[in-house]
Amino acid sequence: MKKIIAYNRVEAPVLKELQKKYDVHFFKNIDTGSDPEFLKQLHETEGIIGLELPVDQELLDRAPNLKIVSNVSVGHNNLDIRELSKRGIMATNTPDVLTDTVADTVFGLLISTARRIPELDQFVKNGEWITEAVEPEHFGTDVHHKTLGIIGMGRIGKAIAKRAHFGFDMNILYHSRSRKPDAEEEFSAVYCKLDELLKQSDFVCLITPLTPETEGLIGKQEFQLMKKSAIFINGSRGKTIIEQDLINALQRGEIAAAGLDVFENEPVEPDNPLLKMKNVVTTPHIGSSTHETELKMSQLAARNLDAGLSGEKPPNLIDESVWE
Ligand code: NAP
């Protein structure tokens, strides 16, 4: 039986299927640089399936038999793709199956932040709703008919645009490395340079991958370009923004509010100033985490792993050149 490592999150029914075919070793909450059992299994493993395992040169040096790393996520900033390809090791991810779920999360954060739903939930539950008509200090801001700027008009960006255009009559601006004629036609989305998008948007939504180019893409200058009334939503990765600059922008009133699914450090530190701000709505990196979608992601990751280990081309190879 081929040996594989399952890491952090593989849904139970999928793990059970994998156990019928492979000698599976499951690890969670360990130090992958020093855990002796993990390092022992890593030396013999042919495949890795899981969430957010940092795969770098050092780990690869300790995995001489590795043939494939199958991420249970679409983002793959945890993988050193260049190093994997150099060694002829396949890497795969799980696009498409999570697109609508992540778009729902991002839109949920957007509405929650604009209409202050978590804050007002606490207001009601704390027994503070004592006059029939709540005071204007508790009012929110409209979402419908406003301008939404989407940075990263890929699969998820387009699913967000679809919701905004058809559901909320929003005007859509977008910025990507390349123009997206399909989004321009279907959602009347208008391509913008980043600065222009930041200046004109009521809501700025960041949904690019984390890459060397997007690391720290939104910082002090970018927050200063946004409207004072702007609401910033990050559904990408924590490090695509400079988090301290977001804290400063919120403290100085340079933007109005933020909705965040991702943080520079995860889990976020309990003393992070963002957690004390009423105008910040947070979720714990659960963009794709519904029961249905997590199962689909695990199933797709298992298909990728099976293909790679049986000599077939995995459906979601990140760098196709390893196959050529
Ligand atoms: P995708 O289809 O590859 O779309 C990514 C988009 O980002 C593309 O439009 C791309 O532009 C754009 N982009 C890349 N580099 C850029 C840059 N330097 N400047 C401007 N735009 C840039 O990926 P996806 O499936 O939509 O996923 C996007 C990301 O969402 C993932 O990589 C992940 O980080 C994040 N995500 C988060 C969660 C969560 O739980 N919060 C869940 C899933 C995904 P071009 O098309 O022009 O190259």
Side-chain angles (χ1 to χ4, degrees), residues 97-106 163 286-290 293:
V97 291
L98 47 64
T99 295
D100 281 317
T101 299
V102 182
D104 286 350
T105 305
V106 167
R163 284 153 178 73
I286 47 83
S288 59
S289 299
T290 61
T293 294

Side-chain angles (χ1 to χ4, degrees), residues 9 52 73-77 93-96 98-99 101-103 105-106 109 150-160 174-180 191 194 206-215 217 234-238 240 260-262 266 283-289 294 297:
R9 195 191 292 150
E52 298 283 342
S73 62
V74 66
H76 48 78
N77 47 285
N93 64 347
T94 59
D96 300 316
L98 47 64
T99 295
T101 299
V102 182
T105 305
V106 167
L109 268 177
I150 298 173
I151 306 169
M153 191 59 110
R155 289 172 290 245
I156 300 170
K158 286 177 197 169
I160 296 167
Y174 77 97
H175 176 75
S176 276
R177 288 179 301 189
S178 57
R179 293 278 291 259
K180 308 292 174 194
Y191 178 81
L194 183 59
L206 181 59
I207 191 71
T208 61
L210 173 61
T211 64
E213 293 79 45
T214 61
E215 188 165 351
L217 183 68
N234 192 5
S236 61
R237 288 287 184 268
T240 51
L260 307 170
D261 186 44
V262 287
E266 296 180 1
T283 45
H285 198 152
I286 47 83
S288 59
S289 299
E294 286 289 351
M297 290 163 68

Side-chain angles (χ1 to χ4, degrees), residues 130-196:
I130 47 175
T131 58
E132 197 180 350
V134 290
E135 298 299 324
E137 69 191 75
H138 300 299
F139 292 178
T141 187
D142 275 335
V143 172
H144 63 86
H145 294 94
K146 292 282 182 71
T147 297
L148 170 63
I150 298 173
I151 306 169
M153 191 59 110
R155 289 172 290 245
I156 300 170
K158 286 177 197 169
I160 296 167
K162 185 177 177 184
R163 284 153 178 73
H165 177 69
F166 292 113
F168 293 83
D169 291 311
M170 297 179 91
N171 304 313
I172 296 159
L173 308 178
Y174 77 97
H175 176 75
S176 276
R177 288 179 301 189
S178 57
R179 293 278 291 259
K180 308 292 174 194
D182 53 343
E184 294 181 15
E185 192 177 326
E186 282 175 54
F187 318 123
S188 307
V190 174
Y191 178 81
C192 273
K193 290 224 157 54
L194 183 59
D195 285 8
E196 215 39 57

Side-chain angles (χ1 to χ4, degrees), residues 108 111-122 281:
I111 297 174
S112 299
T113 313
R115 299 299 306 274
R116 302 166 61 179
I117 290 173
E119 182 192 339
L120 294 173
D121 171 61
Q122 281 309 307
V281 176

